[in-house]
Amino acid sequence: MTGSELRRSFLGFFESKGALVMPSDSLVTSDPTLLFTVAGMVPMVPYFLGEQTPPRTSVATVQKCLRTKDIDDIGDTSHCTFFEMLGNFSFGDYFKTEAIAWAWEFLFDVLGLDLKRVRVTIYKDDDEAYELWRAAGMPANKIFRFDQDTNYWPANVITEGPNTACGPCSEIFYDTQPHLPPTPDGEWDDKRWLEIWNNVFTQFWRNDGGVMTPLPKKNIDTGMGLERTAAVLGDHRGPFETDLFAPTLARLQEIAGKKYTSTDDSPTDIAFRRIADHIRATTFLIGDGVMPSNTAQGYVLRRLMRRAMLAGRRVLGIEKPFLAEAIPAIVEQYKDVYPEVLEKRDTILRHAANEEEQFSKTLATGTTRLDSVLTNLKAGDVVSGKDVFDLATTYGFPVEMTAEVARERGLGVDLATYDELLADHEIISKGGVEKQVMVANVAVQMLRSGNVAETHFLGYAEDTSSAKIVGILKDGVLVNSAQQGEKVQIVLDQTPFYASSGGQVGDTGWFTSPDVSFEVEDTQKESNYFFHVGAVTSGSIVTGGKVDARIDSARRDAIRRNHTTTHLLHKALQTVLGDHVHQRGSLVAPDRLRFDFSHDSAMTGEQIREVEAIVNEKILEDIPVQTFEKPIAEAKKMGAMMLFGEKYGDVVRVVQAGDYSIEFCGGTHLQHTSQAGLFKIVSESSSASGVRRIEAVTGKPALMRTLDQERTLMTAASTLKTSPANVVASIEKLQSQLREREKELAELQRAASGGQVEELVASAREVGGVKIVNYQAQGVSDADAVRTMADEILNRLKSGVVILGADIDGKVSLAIKVSKDLVEKGVHAGNVVREAAKVAGGGGGGRPDFAQAGGKDPSKIGEALAVAERLVVEAVGG
Ligand code: ALA
């Protein structure tokens, strides 16, 4: 059975049992606790938690998933980072009886697996599951009981939390090596027993202290690995031998000119599997809109790409860029099931090529940096964890490379300290967020269990409203009242306050009543509960009380200006730079807006001015801004711009500025574009690889900025004693005068140092027939000047050695120059300078006839020069 047949067979089977087949969701999830979709259930979480109604209570999917927890194992025969998960889900529909009976039917009647090679595990107390497996036909000695670390989902939830819907699970294993003697009960040799399917019986709500309450509606969540099951069906050792990987491995073998022989532990085979896995993940990640960068998802992608490139270069000996050569085989393989990889083919290949080019450069700079770290070490020493960490994080130089180069030179590497530093590193800790848990916001659960209705938002039309206090949260728990001075979060039945979302910051403002005043410092929302964060400024606030809620309207007006203008800016950027421009992030605050968008290179001054001009033109056109709600399909048809990684409901809000801009957006906007007043771009910079960032201002801040700049110009003009129009000409004139003066000064200095050179040549000492000038120069501006001086002295000496040292801004600079005849006699400037520099706390080297080095300790210059001279004398046999 091929991978495609298995997908069809699974979906068809559960469809015949009443399931609705839904398409795969993106690899990039909107769940803030996860970086990626790690299981088929991730897109289903809102249904499990009752936050949304599923389109049907029984669902089946094939979901694209990514797990990088085992990244270091990739290359073995069973693990994949990217994989497809076949899943069937019940939201209060069927439960354990059907789930187990159907699992049996699918495994043995449909797939025709050999019962002799199958075992199942259940949670230790789940007698119900035991009886159901027995009833289905599973022999008792094939059912194993285990604890919550393996047989609960989420793992260890009973003792460790979180408080969420959870339950015992039953995993199905297949024997990949039936010729071996039976595995003793309770032992799980991972190479032999391959987990292919997990059935989770989501039947409890976990409360504080691990108290489990049965859920009124029980759920089913299952996950079967497509790749692993395909391997089992073909009686292969693992996923990489199935048809799912065949074209990729074939292409990689062509590129490398080496054979994949399907062994467990040959380094070449491990490299082939690692590359095949990582470039498949790369293809799907970029296909889902991720771009290589140094944070979050982009960082994981970059890491996968770099590991693939390293394995290709170091193990397979591929010398030229190869990712973009191999990826088309993957696109071809998956384009029918996941059309996005075909649609994004060009983008995927472009990023692959760019990243590989950049990586070559990184390897080159990293190698130079590594050399300078290693010069001061001798065989047996250990490269410090800090150096390894700096190389990895600052230079992007892979730790595997550092370790390998160090090993070649007989050096150790302090990987323990490196690991510690890495663990503290923010990026990595973010990259490590892969807890397979459903995190429910505790506050929301409490409100829900108290039957508190979600907040009704009035703020599109109103700045004020009367409202009822329906919840007061203090330090995460619901309380009945709060007194003057207390900081709490208030939930109202209805509110004009906008809660931070879609980049727009939350509103601030006030609640007042005869009994209380409350100052709102921020507004946040979870599900659709709005939390007004702030402090009681007088009186006391009580649940059930009534207040007048009023937002800071002036602040909100400024936010509206920035939000509507952000839409105009988005469109203008597409006009000026091209359709590839898409929003990657945005901040809409009262004082400024920040907009991150996909674009590979820095904008030119010309482009920035053009964008600024277009946006200001659109402001002047006074275009009416309208908002309306539409079914999503209709909104898409109107051409409304959707945002990357956002989840939209069936009905979406659309914001339209005439026929110029139309976007999906939940934010608050102007009524007419002219209310923005004026638009000024403050900066354009890089925010991540392939992402640019614009910061800009509108309204009063834009005006103030313009007035300030005018004032600066006026001051500059009066300082230059000229008019604003002549400021530039006047500066140019000053600059050219300055250049003249510098030239004159340099000539004077040369004349003076010429005299000094003469003196030094005259004072050369002769040791064993060799003329040596050894001198600590004063008042030298840089290392180049030291070099020039050494050149000039040796020119006059003809035959001899020049040893110069200087203190340049508190740093040591040394130069050794050796005439050709003495080089032939064995004097080596590079060797001499290396030893001399060590004395002054530095390092360096160079050619036999000329070498320069630096050092940290200027008080040691004299000593360093003496060492150099001694070495020269020794070399000439003096
Ligand atoms: N959510 C369960 C898993 O991924 C089915 O193993």
Side-chain angles (χ1 to χ4, degrees):
M1 194 182 264
T2 63
S4 306
E5 285 161 356
L6 177 54
R7 277 188 210 101
R8 273 199 298 276
S9 158
F10 181 89
L11 294 177
F13 177 78
F14 282 99
E15 205 168 18
S16 78
K17 304 290 184 196
L20 171 72
V21 172
M22 285 174 64
S24 173
D25 204 27
S26 166
L27 275 177
V28 182
T29 156
S30 52
D31 182 335
T33 65
L34 293 171
L35 276 185
F36 299 107
T37 301
V38 292
M41 56 77 74
V42 170
M44 311 291 164
V45 170
Y47 306 144
F48 283 123
L49 295 180
E51 290 172 0
Q52 281 175 27
T53 314
R56 195 182 290 173
T57 49
S58 167
V59 163
T61 59
V62 179
Q63 172 63 46
K64 295 182 278 187
C65 296
L66 189 88
R67 292 185 185 178
T68 52
K69 207 161 49 81
D70 300 318
I71 190 163
D72 292 323
D73 293 334
I74 307 292
D76 71 5
T77 53
S78 63
H79 285 91
C80 296
T81 54
F82 171 86
F83 63 100
E84 294 172 75
M85 191 181 274
L86 308 165
N88 54 290
F89 307 93
S90 155
F91 311 107
D93 191 302
Y94 60 90
F95 193 54
K96 220 178 277 190
T97 312
E98 295 84 347
I100 289 181
W102 292 345
W104 179 276
E105 190 182 338
F106 186 66
L107 289 171
F108 301 109
D109 300 347
V110 180
L111 299 184
L113 292 190
D114 177 0
L115 177 59
K116 285 210 269 323
R117 293 172 70 176
V118 175
R119 289 177 159 186
V120 299
T121 64
I122 56 171
Y123 177 61
K124 59 179 186 188
D125 295 339
D126 194 355
D127 295 333
E128 192 186 359
Y130 180 86
E131 293 306 334
L132 288 167
W133 276 120
R134 293 286 292 121
M138 189 66 74
N141 65 357
K142 286 183 167 291
I143 307 173
F144 297 83
R145 292 176 186 256
F146 286 115
D147 214 336
Q148 56 160 341
D149 55 336
T150 55
N151 282 74
Y152 234 85
W153 180 275
N156 292 318
V157 62
I158 305 176
T159 47
E160 292 172 15
N163 290 349
T164 186
C166 59
C169 61
S170 176
E171 297 184 330
I172 297 156
F173 287 83
Y174 192 75
D175 187 357
T176 58
Q177 298 178 51
H179 54 280
L180 297 179
T183 318
D185 289 357
E187 277 186 22
W188 293 94
D189 171 358
D190 280 347
K191 281 217 164 123
R192 174 167 182 176
W193 288 96
L194 194 63
E195 181 202 334
I196 55 169
W197 198 358
N198 186 13
N199 279 251
V200 184
F201 314 120
T202 314
Q203 63 192 101
F204 297 113
W205 181 267
R206 190 253 189 210
N207 301 288
D208 284 348
V211 180
M212 310 298 265
T213 322
L215 288 173
K217 283 190 188 166
K218 300 188 190 346
N219 307 315
I220 291 292
D221 153 34
T222 88
M224 175 183 251
L226 174 81
E227 288 77 359
R228 289 181 171 194
T229 310
V232 159
L233 292 172
D235 218 355
H236 298 304
R237 63 197 308 102
F240 296 92
E241 278 61 38
T242 65
D243 70 300
L244 293 164
F245 278 102
T248 314
L249 285 168
R251 182 72 190 113
L252 286 172
Q253 291 175 81
E254 252 169 49
I255 294 172
K258 291 202 165 73
K259 276 242 133 324
Y260 175 64
T261 56
S262 185
T263 58
D264 271 13
D265 44 20
S266 104
T268 323
D269 283 351
I270 293 175
F272 271 120
R273 287 189 290 259
R274 178 173 294 175
I275 300 170
D277 170 84
H278 288 1
I279 63 176
R280 188 169 74 140
T282 296
T283 306
F284 279 96
L285 281 170
I286 305 178
D288 276 346
V290 180
M291 292 202 280
S293 75
N294 280 335
T295 53
Q297 287 94 347
Y299 175 72
V300 175
L301 169 61
R302 172 162 286 166
R303 197 158 163 229
L304 289 165
M305 295 172 93
R306 292 192 161 184
R307 282 168 53 93
M309 293 185 255
L310 268 187
R313 280 158 200 247
R314 285 180 40 220
V315 188
L316 300 185
I318 305 175
E319 272 159 16
K320 47 182 194 6
F322 68 99
L323 297 196
E325 300 291 313
I327 286 174
I330 301 172
V331 173
E332 204 44 40
Q333 163 94 1
Y334 285 97
K335 66 179 197 306
D336 296 331
V337 190
Y338 301 104
E340 62 273 21
V341 294
L342 185 61
E343 274 161 34
K344 295 282 187 63
R345 187 178 187 276
D346 291 347
T347 313
I348 297 168
L349 296 181
R350 184 159 45 84
H351 281 300
N354 283 349
E355 192 66 12
E356 198 154 14
E357 192 188 337
Q358 209 176 320
F359 189 57
S360 307
K361 289 192 198 136
T362 302
L363 284 182
T365 24
T367 308
T368 314
R369 167 74 196 153
L370 180 61
D371 279 340
S372 80
V373 168
L374 298 186
T375 43
N376 293 327
L377 301 177
K378 52 183 186 321
D381 284 354
V382 171
V383 185
S384 76
K386 173 85 173 66
D387 280 334
V388 183
F389 176 76
D390 286 346
L391 271 159
T393 50
T394 314
Y395 296 86
F397 195 71
V399 58
E400 296 93 325
M401 291 287 274
T402 306
E404 185 169 300
V405 176
R407 206 171 29 246
E408 280 163 6
R409 302 201 193 174
L411 300 165
V413 177
D414 179 4
L415 288 178
T417 309
Y418 165 76
D419 284 341
E420 274 168 30
L421 291 167
L422 198 63
D424 293 343
H425 196 222
E426 184 217 18
I427 294 168
I428 305 301
S429 51
K430 268 170 106 186
V433 185
E434 231 179 70
K435 284 201 197 137
Q436 298 154 26
V437 293
M438 302 179 274
V439 175
N441 184 293
V442 181
V444 168
Q445 294 307 332
M446 283 192 298
L447 291 165
R448 231 177 232 138
S449 61
N451 282 330
V452 174
E454 293 179 341
T455 315
H456 184 46
F457 177 58
L458 304 168
Y460 289 133
E462 314 290 345
D463 282 8
T464 60
S465 97
S466 65
K468 191 166 127 194
I469 315 276
V470 293
I472 304 175
L473 275 150
K474 185 163 164 65
D475 301 328
V477 290
L478 276 179
V479 294
N480 288 329
S481 65
Q483 316 305 321
Q484 181 171 343
E486 281 190 279
K487 289 203 145 226
V488 287
Q489 302 181 10
I490 307 280
V491 183
L492 303 178
D493 61 342
Q494 53 176 16
T495 183
F497 285 71
Y498 183 84
S500 152
S501 70
Q504 179 175 329
V505 300
D507 278 330
T508 63
W510 306 269
F511 300 162
T512 46
S513 80
D515 307 320
V516 65
S517 5
F518 183 85
E519 183 158 355
V520 181
E521 290 155 15
D522 189 16
T523 311
Q524 303 280 341
K525 73 176 174 193
E526 269 306 321
S527 299
N528 271 323
Y529 292 107
F530 284 47
F531 295 91
H532 303 81
V533 183
V536 183
T537 43
S538 71
S540 76
I541 198 158
V542 286
T543 309
K546 288 247 158 109
V547 288
D548 288 322
R550 178 163 55 88
I551 65 166
D552 181 339
S553 301
R555 181 175 177 277
R556 167 75 91 70
D557 284 343
I559 292 173
R560 286 192 183 101
R561 284 187 198 102
N562 283 335
H563 207 153
T564 302
T565 310
T566 297
H567 288 204
L568 301 178
L569 170 64
H570 192 176
K571 180 70 195 201
L573 285 167
Q574 290 182 336
T575 310
V576 173
L577 302 176
D579 283 344
H580 62 278
V581 167
H582 287 294
Q583 176 166 340
R584 281 284 177 267
S586 138
L587 171 74
V588 179
D591 56 337
R592 77 207 142 104
L593 67 91
R594 191 177 71 209
F595 189 71
D596 290 353
F597 57 99
S598 45
H599 184 58
D600 280 338
S601 47
M603 289 174 71
T604 62
E606 193 74 19
Q607 289 168 334
I608 294 175
R609 268 191 303 281
E610 202 180 330
V611 167
E612 212 172 59
I614 295 178
V615 172
N616 279 308
E617 220 165 82
K618 295 298 160 193
I619 291 174
L620 277 175
E621 280 174 24
D622 195 22
I623 307 170
V625 182
Q626 284 159 328
T627 57
F628 40 86
E629 300 205 324
K630 285 244 172 247
I632 186 156
E634 229 174 281
K636 276 192 195 161
K637 227 182 275 157
M638 292 173 70
M641 289 198 266
M642 293 175 70
L643 300 188
F644 163 78
E646 288 280 319
K647 273 246 166 73
Y648 296 97
D650 296 339
V651 174
V652 293
R653 186 163 179 270
V654 174
V655 176
Q656 178 165 21
D659 52 15
Y660 187 63
S661 147
I662 172 161
E663 287 198 27
F664 287 29
C665 178
T668 60
H669 284 272
L670 302 172
Q671 286 152 326
H672 290 264
T673 57
S674 67
Q675 291 167 311
L678 177 65
F679 170 72
K680 290 295 295 172
I681 292 179
V682 175
S683 69
E684 192 273 346
S685 61
S686 159
S687 127
S689 166
V691 181
R692 306 296 304 174
R693 165 169 293 180
I694 281 186
E695 299 208 77
V697 286
T698 63
K700 206 162 163 191
L703 187 62
M704 294 312 290
R705 186 181 154 82
T706 311
L707 293 177
D708 277 353
Q709 287 186 336
E710 190 180 341
R711 199 166 310 124
T712 309
L713 182 63
M714 300 300 282
T715 315
S718 77
T719 313
L720 292 165
K721 302 206 173 24
T722 184
S723 66
N726 286 328
V727 162
V728 175
S730 175
I731 290 174
E732 279 168 358
K733 197 165 131 207
L734 283 175
Q735 281 173 330
S736 102
Q737 282 171 353
L738 192 62
R739 272 194 296 274
E740 281 297 309
R741 297 280 180 281
E742 278 169 355
K743 238 195 265 162
E744 286 167 25
L745 189 62
E747 262 157 35
L748 287 172
Q749 276 175 342
R750 238 193 316 277
S753 77
Q756 200 182 13
V757 166
E758 286 305 323
E759 259 171 51
L760 288 170
V761 170
S763 71
R765 285 185 298 119
E766 263 198 51
V767 182
V770 174
K771 283 191 209 144
I772 301 180
V773 169
N774 182 340
Y775 180 64
Q776 178 168 352
Q778 308 293 337
V780 185
S781 56
D782 55 23
D784 274 351
V786 180
R787 177 193 190 123
T788 316
M789 195 165 170
D791 284 345
E792 285 174 6
I793 297 172
L794 191 66
N795 271 343
R796 308 278 169 94
L797 280 182
K798 307 278 190 266
S799 164
V801 178
V802 182
I803 304 169
L804 290 183
D807 171 352
I808 298 170
D809 300 331
K811 292 249 166 57
V812 178
S813 174
L814 298 173
I816 313 278
K817 182 106 192 163
V818 182
S819 61
K820 219 162 160 206
D821 53 329
L822 294 175
V823 168
E824 277 157 18
K825 284 200 180 144
V827 185
H828 191 295
N831 294 345
V832 171
V833 91
R834 181 172 322 113
E835 293 308 314
K838 275 188 195 160
V839 177
R847 305 193 313 247
D849 61 333
F850 176 73
Q852 267 185 304
K856 295 195 197 85
D857 185 356
S859 72
K860 294 277 170 58
I861 296 182
E863 216 175 294
L865 294 177
V867 167
E869 178 160 342
R870 181 168 53 71
L871 292 171
V872 170
V873 171
E874 276 170 21
V876 296

